[in-house]
Amino acid sequence: MGSRVLHLRGGSIFSNLAIEEYFFRHLPCERLLLLYSNPSAVVLGRNQNPWKECNIARMTADRTSLARRNSGGGTVFHDPGNLNFSFISPAAVFSKHTTTAILASALTDGLGIPARANDRFDVLLHGKKISGAAFRIAGKNAYHHGTMLVHSDLDRLQDSITSPNLAAIKSKGTESVRSKVCNLRELYPELTVDSVASAVAQAFLKHDGGSENISPNSAPSGGDVPPKIEQLNCDEFIASNEWTRKELTRIKSVDWVFGETPPFSLPLGRTFPWGDVRLEFHAAKGGVIQKVDVELPARFPRGLAAKIADALAQAGAVCERKSVVAVLAAQRRAVGSHFEELYDIEDWLDGALFDRTVG
């Protein structure tokens, strides 16, 4: 059935990932290349910890969505200046070396950009990363998907994927490998996401024996693309495809985005004018609090630290702002004294923790 290129249009990170999963499970041709961009989002690897990988408070303020993909690897940032790609094929003919070479060829041969691939299957430009990758093999099929930085907001990228808890948190999950990055437009200001998409499509179809008549520069800035790239409207596709609708519901759920988080511990501490406070949260899978170590100054009633620790552990609460602050507020009311100091602790944790939200 040959090779096909589909450019997904109008989708969110969730709809794009759901459609990718559909084609991974229902491959309509021998080899398929998906291309897409979406509004700002941070995408976790399958086995990663959002408490460690993301600045979710900043993401919430910036209206940046949080998603978790089905493949492993590290956390990545998406925005409209970022081209995302997914090479899908039968596992029997899949080669990450080949698909990475196609990406490098799209830049070097198609656009005259001296890019090169490294042994991690990243694509580099003058030593800085412009494209990262992740892989998945399941059943009969496999894919290589990733990002290509064209004119992404790199300040927002760094802010979104730099957790304030990065150094402190201890987690069994996969930790991202931090790299220096750059945009293609820093050196090639004429490039657009669509012109890079066209170059990748041309390199893919040329390698697979398809048409070589796609010009990498033939897509004007208005967003038109060469005829060999098929357009797929995400909303229309999902509306007509029940399987993808169910996958979209799953992939947008808090249970998936946060519930797949491996166990971790999060130590927090602060010095107030009236003394030092230390809490260390020990969370099971999904961030559910199993145990909390609490240290309070001697000025507080004896046994209060143990009561707070027990209340947090017994509540079955998740290590998030609303759950933790609600338990502390109940303890403050029960104590009947030290209202100002206990409220200081609540206020501190209200800023130090975040709510589970996918955006």
Side-chain angles (χ1 to χ4, degrees):
M1 295 173 64
S3 301
R4 293 174 63 186
V5 181
L6 294 180
H7 200 145
L8 312 186
R9 296 291 190 176
S12 67
I13 180 56
F14 305 106
S15 57
N16 287 327
L17 289 175
I19 292 170
E20 177 190 59
E21 187 66 13
Y22 172 80
F23 284 117
F24 177 67
R25 302 289 188 94
H26 309 86
L27 187 61
C29 55
E30 185 175 351
R31 291 177 178 85
L32 177 66
L33 170 61
L34 302 180
L35 300 167
Y36 63 89
S37 295
N38 45 251
S40 298
V42 168
V43 187
L44 298 163
R46 175 69 174 80
N47 300 305
Q48 289 199 291
N49 185 332
W51 281 266
K52 189 175 182 69
E53 298 293 333
C54 313
N55 187 338
I56 296 185
R58 176 62 186 268
M59 290 166 55
T60 300
D62 289 344
R63 302 179 68 84
T64 298
S65 299
L66 177 64
R68 184 185 296 274
R69 62 181 185 270
N70 286 305
S71 63
T75 298
V76 295
F77 177 79
H78 292 192
D79 70 3
N82 188 51
L83 173 67
N84 304 293
F85 56 84
S86 183
F87 298 94
I88 309 175
S89 71
V93 299
F94 176 75
S95 168
K96 61 180 72 174
H97 295 277
T98 298
T99 49
T100 304
I102 289 172
L103 288 172
S105 175
L107 297 177
T108 55
D109 300 332
L111 295 171
I113 297 171
R116 66 175 183 85
N118 64 13
D119 57 5
R120 293 180 54 83
F121 304 98
D122 301 323
V123 180
L124 310 179
L125 178 61
H126 302 310
K128 292 185 178 180
K129 184 174 174 179
I130 54 173
S131 178
F135 309 92
R136 182 181 176 210
I137 299 177
K140 296 181 179 180
N141 294 332
Y143 63 60
H144 164 190
H145 63 182
T147 61
M148 182 80 73
L149 296 170
V150 182
H151 58 95
S152 188
D153 186 336
L154 298 187
D155 289 335
R156 194 168 177 181
L157 180 157
Q158 294 295 345
D159 288 344
S160 297
I161 65 172
T162 303
S163 169
N165 303 314
L166 179 61
I169 198 167
K170 301 170 186 175
S171 175
K172 295 181 180 180
T174 302
E175 186 170 344
S176 295
V177 177
R178 310 285 165 170
S179 304
K180 291 183 178 180
V181 299
C182 73
N183 278 315
L184 286 169
R185 259 201 197 170
E186 291 179 25
L187 296 176
Y188 302 90
E190 74 282 2
L191 292 178
T192 66
V193 170
D194 276 349
S195 65
V196 176
S198 297
V200 175
Q202 179 187 32
F204 170 72
L205 292 172
K206 182 178 181 179
H207 178 273
D208 281 11
S211 171
E212 298 183 27
N213 297 321
I214 300 175
S215 168
N217 298 310
S218 64
S221 59
D224 293 334
V225 293
K228 287 293 182 180
I229 301 180
E230 302 172 57
Q231 305 298 297
L232 187 149
N233 181 288
C234 292
D235 290 341
E236 292 177 359
F237 183 84
I238 291 171
S240 65
N241 188 292
E242 183 180 1
W243 193 99
T244 310
R245 288 198 301 275
K246 290 180 179 178
E247 176 65 7
L248 177 60
T249 299
R250 183 189 72 86
I251 214 163
K252 283 187 71 172
S253 69
V254 169
D255 285 345
W256 168 250
V257 177
F258 287 93
E260 291 298 312
T261 301
F264 66 92
S265 62
L266 172 62
L268 297 171
R270 180 165 178 178
T271 298
F272 295 93
W274 40 262
D276 295 337
V277 175
R278 300 285 182 269
L279 293 91
E280 182 164 2
F281 296 92
H282 302 273
K285 182 179 178 180
V288 177
I289 297 170
Q290 285 190 319
K291 176 186 175 185
V292 185
D293 300 321
V294 181
E295 297 179 16
L296 299 175
R299 65 189 292 140
F300 286 91
R302 179 180 296 181
L304 179 58
K307 288 181 180 179
I308 291 174
D310 289 344
L312 286 167
Q314 293 173 9
V318 175
C319 189
E320 64 175 348
R321 184 182 66 88
K322 287 181 181 177
S323 299
V324 170
V325 170
V327 171
L328 290 175
Q331 289 298 308
R332 172 171 51 83
R333 291 190 294 269
V335 170
S337 63
H338 299 278
F339 284 102
E340 290 187 9
E341 295 97 324
L342 290 170
Y343 186 79
D344 286 344
I345 297 173
E346 291 174 40
D347 189 56
W348 161 53
L349 292 174
D350 186 70
L353 297 172
F354 58 81
D355 289 329
R356 298 186 304 165
T357 178
V358 298

